[in-house]
Amino acid sequence: MIQLPCPWCGPRNASEFTHHGEVTSRPDVGTATPEEWRRYLYFRQNANGWVDENWYHTAGCRRFIRVRRHTLSNETEAAR
Amino acid sequence: MSRQVGRKRLAPQQGEVIDRRTSFEFSFNGKTYAAHPGDTIVSALAADGERVFSRSFKYHRPRGLLTASFHDPGCMVQVGDEPNVRGAHRLAEPGMAVSSQNTWPSLKFDVKAINRFAGRFLTAGFYYKTFMKPEFLWPTYQKVLRQFVHAGEISPDTPHDYYDKRYAHPDVLIAGGGPAGMSAALAAARAGASVMLVEEEHQLGGHLRWTNPGAAAELTAEVAATDGIEVLTNSVVLGRYDQNWIAVAQRDLSHVRERLIKARARTLVVAGGLIERPYVFAGNDTPGVMLSTAVRRLINLHAVKPGERAVVLTANESGDAAIADLERAGVEVAHVADARTGEDVVRVHGRKDVRAVELTGGRRVNADLLVTATGWTAPTSLLNMAGDVPVYSPKAARFLPGGTADDTVLATGGIAGDGSLDQLCEHAEAIGAEAARRAANHRYHQLAAVPTRNDGKLSKPKGTAATLPELGVRQHPELFRASTHGIVDYSEDVSSKDLHLAVAEGYDSAELAKRFTTATMGPIQGKLETINAIATIAEATGKTIAETGTTTWRPMYTPVSLGALAGRIFEPVRYSPMQRWHEQHNATPLVAGQWIRPDHYGDPAAEVRNVRENVGIIDVTPIGKLDLQGADVPKLLNLLYVNKWSKLGIGRVRYGVMCAEDGVVMDDGVTGRLGEDHYLMSTTSSGAARVWEWVENWLQTEHPDWQVHVTPVTTAYASINVAGPKSRELVSRLTEGVDLSAEGFGYMQVRTGRVAGVDDCVLWRIGFTGELSYELHVPASYGLHVWEALLEHGRDLGVRPFGVEGQRILRLEKGHLIVGQDTDGLTKAWSAGIDWAIKLDKDDFVGKPELVWQKENGDGARLVGIQPVDRDVVPPEASQLVTSRGTIVGRITSSRMSPTLGRSICLGQVDAELAKPGTLLTVHLPNGSKVAARVTEHHAHVDPEGTRQNIDTPPSQPRPHATPVARSPIAPGTKTTTIASWQVDARRSSAGLRLTDHTLLAKVGVRGRHDGAIAEALGTSYGRTIRDNGSAVVVGSGPGEWLVLGSPGGQDKLLSRMRDLVENTGEFGTVIDQTHGRALLKISGEEAADLLAKVCGVELSDAATPDGAALRTSVARLVTDVIRLDDNGVPAYFLHCERSSGQYLFDALLDAGAEFGIEVDGTPAAPTL
């Protein structure tokens, strides 16, 4: 099991966190076309490499944190 | 007095591990044998002259002792009801009943040995080729093949054994306790590292035990005398995973069968030594063919004479040393074939036993023992799991590490290369010191990242990276197979001939041939056979061994019992404060997520009628409750709910539906406004945790600027719904300070007041059941008191409890949907039949675009009320609705027989065009029959006009009632006492490790900015705890989150003190009483951290988690605050969790603490912090 670098708690086992997927940005609700909105809902980069992810530290500080993770090596970098 | 058991037992040997002072008996296949303590099952049997211990898997050939180690393929036995015991490793015990496996009807006469004669038909892929067609015979094949299964028997009656688990955080973990492992451990420990040294065998020493017992004893003593080394023998490193997450099976414990250690090691040193490999020739699996290390183990460790007359094939010093050992043991060495000079053996003669050995040129030498020393295998698997790819060295005739492992993983000893004992130890010391240096660096960065340390400055570790020394390799002949074919994989009965055939059939790579023949896939997992298999494949393909490459070593390093992997299974459960009452009144339990709830008390239909006619009470504590405070709460509600919230007045309650961004209904519930900036939101019981996370997500990631604080208070309140025409009468008999008249407290309103003498109760007037009803939210510690008061004071009104089933019937009669039951993962809001609530004229709300488009397109199903035409038919839930042509147009989502109407009633989803009232539908029942049903005008089947909930009966006057008693969620022992109105346990214990319930302490939660004025005024922040000048303890329990603890009964004072503190800062902050919402336990004693390490994965060392540390983590899979507050130097931890799981946590701690003799100590009269 990998550890995630929680900026509040220090390194903790990944099982303490909930994965909230790649960082996305919410389109403007007033102007979004169905295509834009569904791209936001369902499409992800799924890169083989560095990815910015949202994680929730469910069993810790209960903060949403951003983690930059390399999907091949599982190396991580934290950002608050 | 010294006794000696066994006909083949030798005189005392220098390094022997048996205790000759005593002996005992055990049985093998019903016959009695004697053993000394220290004997393995097989060494004791061998000492009595036994040579056959099992039959082989496919050909049922007799098998004996080959390696005399854990990895001896022919020595797997059944011990009692435990199968697959490694007989050459497991120590014999008095009275042990051992039997051989894979033999029927007996070891000596095995009918399946007929396979041996049919051997030429049982070649590679025989089973695949033979038992494929025709397919209809597969069940028959299965029965036949089961007769031939590998391994022993399990009994379904075997009681579930107790397995254990713990976490560890060593600086350096060393796999292998031979000379290299011990030297590395000593060097690392001397450099200040904490070391875990893991050895598979029963003693440290590795090969020194039989090559140099004096040196083994010396190093072992040095390890024992050095601080900071935890030695685990009869334990094995099973696997290495990302970031040095390492699984260790520990088998040397007395209180449990096995323990799984989950270690997060800063560095791993792999020092597994070398494994001697067998030689491939005709008859190489005949009992009496042994490896040089096997005879050396037998003679030196167990003082067993391995045979009478031996031939030795030697290619190295281990073979040469074996000759000396044999001669010393009185074995006649009839011939030595020195492979270094080109000599070889061809085959052995004999079936159950070696009779003679045939040498090159056809010469036969009579012998009962053939000893081979033809080379080594480096078990590099742990390195491979860390990214290393082994490289073949033709010079050393074995694979060596490729040097590409992660830099937190190092290798030493035989795996890394060859050398004299001094050279090996010197290399290991350098590796151990470097492992310690890397660990110290890693530790520095870890400590710098945790908020729990005290203010002591961290000093950066000194020392620079050392150039890692390298061990050379010695010349060794490449010796794999003689001129004849023989067994390559002993576990799977795969011969070199099978591998040649596999290659000829096109399986011409190591990975393919391995899978086709199953070579290296048996219980020994390639440790003996990998290199021979690769050499044979190379030979068959005409490639070199280097070109052929090795197969991949994967976890586990050795087979492990499933019990050890399952370990202790933690499944948190949650109980309401009234759970014990429900149990005492024969409630049928319903498991709803983590909650245990009363489904009914015997007759749900009667419970329903009583609610409609009189009054009923139901425990609805699991309903999710979130306390929302701040000026921007209406913005939050407008964003998350599909309906509007800007104009909700104080004292008002509104129903709301939440959708996800895809427009699908996610949760529903009512939210009430308690004060100017204070709201209480309720959620579904199952959705409570999800909605909380959802709310936090929107606040933290999208709107961090909004002033809103969310606090879950689900279990801070015991929730009781009082429903029925007589509910106003009942509630008013116990309520003070609230006008309960119809005009004073209308439908969909909220009040706070005193119920049965308990202050700060929240009363909602809402109606899930359709009756006049009040939902009482009572501070949880008083839940049972209020519940019992309601039953007592409502006796003349006919009050009865009702359960979840009764409530489900009542709400279906009333047509209220249940999210997740009447909706699913595709049900958008318009499909849920809540059109009236959806406000598309709001600028934004979660999921709005999808709902705009759904309205435009009119797509999706519609939720409607449905009644079967035949009033006695209740279509099972999930029954399909179909057209006359069988097309599915919907389904029944809820159905029950209505006790009120005396007919069946349903809710269901149908295609929009069929949703018109009066439409006739066809319900396809699971039994295939079809019944007609009609869409009703409303969802509600009973009282669609909603008159029942508005009945205008006058309230009564409050009556005298029993004095409120506060109760902790943890059941006290039989002896109790009262402290500040709390009923507490009065037991006393002076055990070294004690567990005490401290739930009665005042607990106040404070929220604010993590680095603002509130933080400054409180004097601490996340990670640290201080005592403030008002004798309270302030815990930095989260970022911008504090828990303030005070003496029992002091919560009101503490609350107002904290409110003043927050107010004086001028910063936005909230203060909430958590006294009744949380459980608080204390563990104290020197072994407290050891206990916690069994249930908690966070490092609890003094450096990372010193006195005063506060952190939140998972304890026995429960989210728990861990607060370290030592008692005059004795370690003590407070554990703080959701009240409803308090009993679960308490029980889990007692269970984990049993090995330390933990005892419950009652709550002290004046609890101190």
Side-chain angles (χ1 to χ4, degrees):
Chain A
M1 173 165 43
I2 65 167
Q3 285 187 317
L4 293 177
C6 176
W8 300 99
C9 305
R12 292 285 187 91
N13 288 342
S15 59
E16 289 193 358
F17 298 80
T18 311
H19 188 226
H20 276 253
E22 285 175 26
V23 173
T24 52
S25 75
R26 190 171 189 249
D28 183 85
V29 170
T31 59
T33 64
E35 199 194 333
E36 282 164 354
W37 189 257
R38 281 155 192 172
R39 191 158 281 283
Y40 155 68
L41 286 180
Y42 305 118
F43 281 66
R44 300 294 179 267
Q45 295 298 319
N46 198 24
N48 178 355
W50 289 100
V51 175
D52 287 324
E53 295 173 331
N54 285 321
W55 291 79
Y56 182 54
H57 198 174
T58 322
C61 59
R62 293 189 179 124
R63 305 301 299 173
F64 279 83
I65 60 167
R66 254 181 208 193
V67 175
R68 209 165 139 65
R69 184 173 68 93
H70 195 285
T71 53
L72 192 66
S73 66
N74 270 335
E75 280 175 276
T76 50
E77 291 169 7
R80 208 168 254 196
Chain B
M1 198 188 78
S2 173
R3 293 171 58 196
Q4 180 166 308
V5 301
R7 296 182 286 125
K8 301 273 185 181
R9 192 75 74 176
L10 299 166
Q13 303 292 310
Q14 193 201 343
E16 71 181 22
V17 296
I18 53 170
D19 179 358
R20 292 182 189 248
R21 288 171 302 179
T22 59
S23 66
F24 56 83
E25 290 184 335
F26 72 105
S27 72
F28 178 59
N29 289 339
K31 200 179 145 195
T32 302
Y33 293 82
H36 288 301
D39 260 322
T40 65
I41 292 167
V42 161
S43 77
L45 295 173
D48 216 19
E50 290 295 338
R51 292 196 115 187
V52 180
F53 304 111
S54 68
R55 290 274 181 168
S56 74
F57 162 53
K58 203 166 22 169
Y59 305 127
H60 287 256
R61 293 165 64 98
R63 287 280 165 82
L65 192 148
L66 178 71
T67 73
S69 69
F70 188 90
H71 309 288
D72 201 324
C75 295
M76 301 229 303
V77 292
Q78 174 107 17
V79 176
D81 53 12
E82 185 186 359
N84 305 326
V85 171
R86 305 304 178 106
H89 172 84
R90 177 72 64 86
L91 298 179
E93 286 169 29
M96 209 178 218
V98 182
S99 56
S100 49
Q101 296 185 164
N102 237 358
T103 52
W104 179 78
S106 81
L107 187 59
K108 292 208 167 79
F109 177 77
D110 185 337
V111 285
K112 282 170 284 184
I114 193 74
N115 282 359
R116 200 162 57 86
F117 302 110
R120 61 198 177 97
F121 304 113
L122 282 175
T123 50
F126 170 78
Y127 288 93
Y128 302 150
K129 292 166 186 166
T130 312
F131 297 105
M132 285 302 291
K133 288 176 181 176
E135 202 174 308
F136 70 86
L137 277 181
W138 282 9
T140 315
Y141 293 156
Q142 191 180 13
K143 274 185 199 156
V144 174
L145 292 173
R146 273 211 182 124
Q147 290 292 316
F148 286 82
V149 289
H150 211 358
E153 282 174 17
I154 53 165
S155 160
D157 304 324
T158 304
H160 182 77
D161 245 314
Y162 191 92
Y163 290 85
D164 206 12
K165 185 167 92 174
R166 81 165 161 114
Y167 296 91
H169 307 266
D171 288 328
V172 180
L173 192 147
I174 299 176
M182 286 195 283
S183 301
L186 288 166
R190 281 170 192 152
S194 63
V195 178
M196 181 178 272
L197 177 61
V198 184
E199 169 54 47
E200 186 174 39
E201 308 238 351
H202 301 279
Q203 305 88 24
L204 292 177
H207 67 82
L208 286 184
R209 288 174 304 150
W210 58 88
T211 58
N212 190 344
E218 214 171 281
L219 270 172
T220 305
E222 219 178 321
V223 166
T226 305
D227 282 341
I229 306 178
E230 183 182 7
V231 176
L232 309 176
T233 52
N234 191 13
S235 302
V236 62
V237 178
L238 296 168
R240 185 269 178 195
Y241 304 88
D242 280 342
Q243 297 167 0
N244 275 353
W245 180 243
I246 293 166
V248 179
Q250 186 181 6
R251 312 190 193 99
D252 64 340
L253 299 162
S254 54
H255 69 286
V256 287
R257 196 142 165 171
E258 274 176 63
R259 168 187 274 172
L260 184 70
I261 300 175
K262 296 182 173 185
R264 180 74 72 181
R266 294 186 176 85
T267 46
L268 169 67
V269 175
V270 181
L274 293 174
I275 294 175
E276 189 170 24
R277 64 173 181 254
Y279 190 46
V280 181
F281 57 92
N284 65 343
D285 61 334
T286 311
V289 177
M290 298 184 198
L291 304 184
S292 68
T293 44
V295 297
R296 302 201 69 197
R297 280 165 179 264
L298 277 182
I299 293 168
N300 293 293
L301 301 183
H302 295 111
V304 172
K305 192 177 181 184
E308 296 301 327
R309 194 176 144 88
V311 171
V312 180
L313 171 67
T314 173
N316 53 40
E317 64 272 36
S318 180
D320 304 342
I323 296 167
D325 279 348
L326 288 167
E327 284 172 343
R328 189 163 45 78
V331 181
E332 183 193 343
V333 179
H335 181 81
V336 174
D338 193 330
R340 290 161 293 200
T341 60
E343 291 179 75
D344 204 351
V345 297
V346 176
R347 62 169 53 85
V348 297
H349 295 278
R351 202 162 61 80
K352 280 187 198 160
D353 224 345
V354 172
R355 296 275 168 80
V357 180
E358 187 180 320
L359 305 171
T360 324
R363 187 182 150 207
R364 267 174 87 134
V365 181
N366 286 337
D368 65 348
L369 179 63
L370 170 61
V371 178
T372 67
T374 56
W376 308 96
T377 299
T380 54
S381 68
L382 291 173
L383 295 170
N384 306 152
M385 293 171 206
D388 189 83
V389 180
V391 175
Y392 182 70
S393 159
K395 181 183 174 190
R398 67 175 193 258
F399 282 89
L400 294 167
T404 54
D406 188 275
D407 68 359
T408 58
V409 179
L410 299 164
T412 185
I415 282 183
D418 299 317
S420 67
L421 177 58
D422 283 348
Q423 285 169 327
L424 284 173
C425 291
E426 203 178 299
H427 181 265
E429 280 168 16
I431 292 292
E434 174 61 10
R437 190 194 66 79
R438 291 186 189 180
N441 257 328
H442 198 193
R443 183 184 189 78
Y444 167 76
H445 289 293
Q446 278 178 314
L447 287 179
V450 298
T452 45
R453 282 180 305 111
N454 46 29
D455 291 333
K457 203 171 170 293
L458 263 187
S459 53
K460 205 166 173 156
K462 295 180 203 65
T464 46
T467 320
L468 291 179
E470 281 195 32
L471 281 171
V473 289
R474 289 186 189 147
Q475 189 76 39
H476 194 288
E478 291 187 88
L479 206 59
F480 310 105
R481 184 168 79 84
S483 56
T484 48
H485 280 294
I487 295 292
V488 171
D489 185 330
Y490 292 76
S491 321
E492 297 283 298
D493 257 2
V494 179
S495 72
S496 49
K497 213 171 174 176
D498 293 328
L499 285 165
H500 273 268
L501 180 68
V503 170
E505 291 188 2
Y507 302 94
D508 57 356
S509 81
E511 294 289 354
L512 289 177
K514 159 186 161 179
R515 281 165 180 79
F516 184 60
T517 61
T518 72
T520 75
M521 291 169 77
I524 307 304
Q525 295 179 300
K527 285 176 200 66
L528 298 177
E529 62 275 19
T530 288
I531 301 205
N532 288 340
I534 289 162
T536 308
I537 293 163
E539 178 187 84
T541 54
K543 291 180 184 162
T544 64
I545 292 176
E547 285 164 355
T548 306
T550 182
T551 53
T552 309
W553 302 74
R554 294 189 177 84
M556 304 294 180
Y557 174 70
T558 60
V560 57
S561 61
L562 290 174
L565 287 184
R568 291 146 50 83
I569 298 166
F570 298 112
E571 288 293 346
V573 289
R574 306 179 73 175
Y575 298 118
S576 105
M578 288 82 87
Q579 175 63 20
R580 267 166 265 155
W581 190 94
H582 302 318
E583 283 168 15
Q584 286 158 5
H585 292 80
N586 302 320
T588 300
L590 173 76
V591 179
Q594 292 184 337
W595 287 95
I596 312 297
R597 305 188 61 178
D599 195 23
H600 57 82
Y601 301 84
D603 185 353
E607 291 166 17
V608 167
R609 282 190 292 270
N610 194 55
V611 170
R612 295 269 179 245
E613 287 157 20
N614 297 309
V615 57
I617 61 173
I618 178 170
D619 179 356
V620 289
T621 301
I623 284 179
K625 296 172 277 284
L626 296 175
D627 179 282
L628 306 175
Q629 298 194 37
D632 292 320
V633 173
K635 285 188 192 167
L636 176 76
L637 299 175
N638 270 329
L639 177 67
L640 298 184
Y641 283 124
V642 298
N643 47 340
K644 287 188 184 171
W645 292 84
S646 309
K647 289 180 185 156
L648 186 73
I650 294 173
R652 295 282 171 169
V653 174
R654 189 168 289 166
Y655 172 79
V657 172
M658 275 182 202
C659 290
E661 285 280 62
D662 57 4
V664 169
V665 175
M666 183 181 136
D667 206 86
D668 69 345
V670 296
T671 294
R673 188 171 180 188
L674 305 180
E676 183 59 34
D677 292 334
H678 190 189
Y679 294 73
L680 185 62
M681 173 191 280
S682 72
T683 75
T684 59
S685 305
S686 56
R690 185 174 62 234
V691 171
W692 179 29
E693 188 168 325
W694 183 244
V695 174
E696 288 289 355
N697 193 353
W698 285 99
L699 285 175
Q700 290 184 30
T701 65
E702 293 285 332
H703 299 285
D705 52 316
W706 285 0
Q707 284 199 352
V708 182
H709 283 153
V710 187
T711 312
V713 290
T714 301
T715 59
Y717 293 106
S719 302
I720 304 167
N721 193 296
V722 186
K726 296 174 183 168
S727 58
R728 181 176 286 126
E729 170 67 23
L730 174 54
V731 173
S732 59
R733 287 177 181 183
L734 290 165
T735 305
E736 295 166 76
V738 179
D739 173 7
L740 287 169
S741 67
E743 60 278 15
F745 185 3
Y747 183 58
M748 295 305 269
Q749 294 190 8
V750 59
R751 300 288 183 270
T752 51
R754 169 187 269 226
V755 178
V758 179
D759 288 322
D760 302 320
C761 296
V762 179
L763 294 79
W764 317 86
R765 198 183 142 197
I766 52 175
F768 198 44
T769 59
E771 294 300 317
L772 173 68
S773 78
Y774 297 87
E775 200 153 286
L776 314 178
H777 300 285
V778 180
S781 309
Y782 296 104
L784 182 58
H785 162 77
V786 173
W787 178 265
E788 287 182 324
L790 286 166
L791 288 168
E792 189 193 328
H793 290 272
R795 200 172 295 146
D796 59 308
L797 304 174
V799 69
R800 284 177 62 168
F802 64 108
V804 174
E805 175 59 18
Q807 190 196 39
R808 290 200 153 211
I809 298 171
L810 287 159
R811 70 90 202 177
L812 182 59
E813 288 182 339
K814 184 60 186 171
H816 288 304
L817 68 93
I818 294 179
V819 174
Q821 163 90 29
D822 300 299
T823 71
D824 62 18
L826 294 172
T827 308
K828 291 181 183 169
W830 295 108
S831 298
I834 46 148
D835 303 16
W836 55 271
I838 307 168
K839 302 297 180 200
L840 295 181
D841 57 339
K842 288 200 290 183
D843 285 342
D844 184 13
F845 63 85
V846 178
K848 180 185 171 190
E850 290 290 352
L851 296 183
V852 170
W853 300 323
Q854 193 194 6
K855 188 172 171 62
E856 282 168 12
N857 301 336
D859 57 358
R862 293 290 179 274
L863 187 72
V864 293
I866 296 171
Q867 290 186 353
V869 174
D870 180 343
R871 50 199 298 136
D872 293 328
V873 175
V874 182
E877 286 167 355
S879 293
Q880 303 289 2
L881 301 171
V882 295
T883 64
S884 54
R885 278 183 297 174
T887 310
I888 296 169
V889 292
R891 65 181 200 285
I892 300 290
T893 58
S894 294
S895 63
R896 288 289 189 278
M897 177 55 72
S898 161
T900 309
L901 301 175
R903 76 162 347 275
S904 60
I905 53 171
C906 312
L907 279 174
Q909 287 197 19
V910 290
D911 288 353
E913 61 270 23
L914 297 172
K916 246 175 66 189
T919 308
L920 207 57
L921 304 167
T922 305
V923 188
H924 187 115
L925 302 179
N927 65 11
S929 63
K930 288 173 183 163
V931 297
R934 193 166 270 122
V935 176
T936 57
E937 193 174 347
H938 305 279
H939 286 186
H941 300 276
V942 171
D943 186 30
E945 300 77 22
T947 51
R948 297 185 66 89
Q949 63 214 15
N950 289 323
I951 56 168
D952 187 6
T953 51
S956 173
Q957 284 305 304
R959 298 178 176 186
H961 49 73
T963 312
V965 180
R967 292 176 177 92
S968 151
I970 291 117
T974 44
K975 212 173 131 198
T976 61
T977 179
T978 303
I979 300 174
S981 91
W982 288 77
Q983 183 196 53
V984 297
D985 199 317
R987 266 177 286 185
R988 284 291 162 262
S989 164
S990 54
L993 188 62
R994 297 184 304 282
L995 179 60
T996 304
D997 180 7
H998 275 67
T999 299
L1000 78 172
L1001 289 184
K1003 303 183 279 292
V1004 170
V1006 181
R1007 296 279 302 272
R1009 280 178 58 91
H1010 75 94
D1011 55 357
I1014 293 171
E1016 199 173 313
L1018 287 169
T1020 188
S1021 56
Y1022 180 40
R1024 297 295 302 165
T1025 299
I1026 58 155
R1027 279 162 217 279
D1028 81 350
N1029 46 20
S1031 81
V1033 163
V1034 184
V1035 181
S1037 55
E1041 209 183 292
W1042 294 265
L1043 173 68
V1044 187
L1045 302 172
S1047 33
Q1051 56 266 30
D1052 290 344
K1053 269 190 195 158
L1054 199 54
L1055 204 61
S1056 64
R1057 188 152 75 81
M1058 288 300 132
R1059 281 193 178 132
D1060 289 348
L1061 180 144
V1062 167
E1063 209 158 289
N1064 288 338
T1065 63
E1067 184 186 310
F1068 167 59
T1070 53
V1071 180
I1072 291 184
D1073 183 11
Q1074 293 282 23
T1075 304
H1076 304 286
R1078 305 291 163 89
L1080 186 65
L1081 309 176
K1082 179 184 180 182
I1083 315 168
S1084 53
E1086 292 297 342
E1087 285 162 318
D1090 294 334
L1091 185 164
L1092 283 175
K1094 294 181 68 176
V1095 288
C1096 169
V1098 168
E1099 178 168 358
L1100 297 168
S1101 68
D1102 284 343
T1105 319
D1107 188 15
L1111 56 92
R1112 197 181 294 135
T1113 184
S1114 165
V1115 175
R1117 282 191 60 202
L1118 184 72
V1119 180
T1120 306
D1121 293 287
V1122 178
I1123 305 149
R1124 180 164 172 191
L1125 282 175
D1126 291 356
D1127 278 341
N1128 301 317
V1130 177
Y1133 297 85
F1134 284 88
L1135 304 182
H1136 178 253
C1137 68
E1138 279 280 315
R1139 177 192 161 100
S1140 57
S1141 295
Q1143 183 76 54
Y1144 160 79
L1145 183 62
F1146 189 82
D1147 293 342
L1149 293 170
L1150 278 184
D1151 181 53
E1155 69 171 287
F1156 308 107
I1158 195 169
E1159 286 184 10
V1160 176
D1161 194 18
T1163 308
T1168 49
L1169 284 157

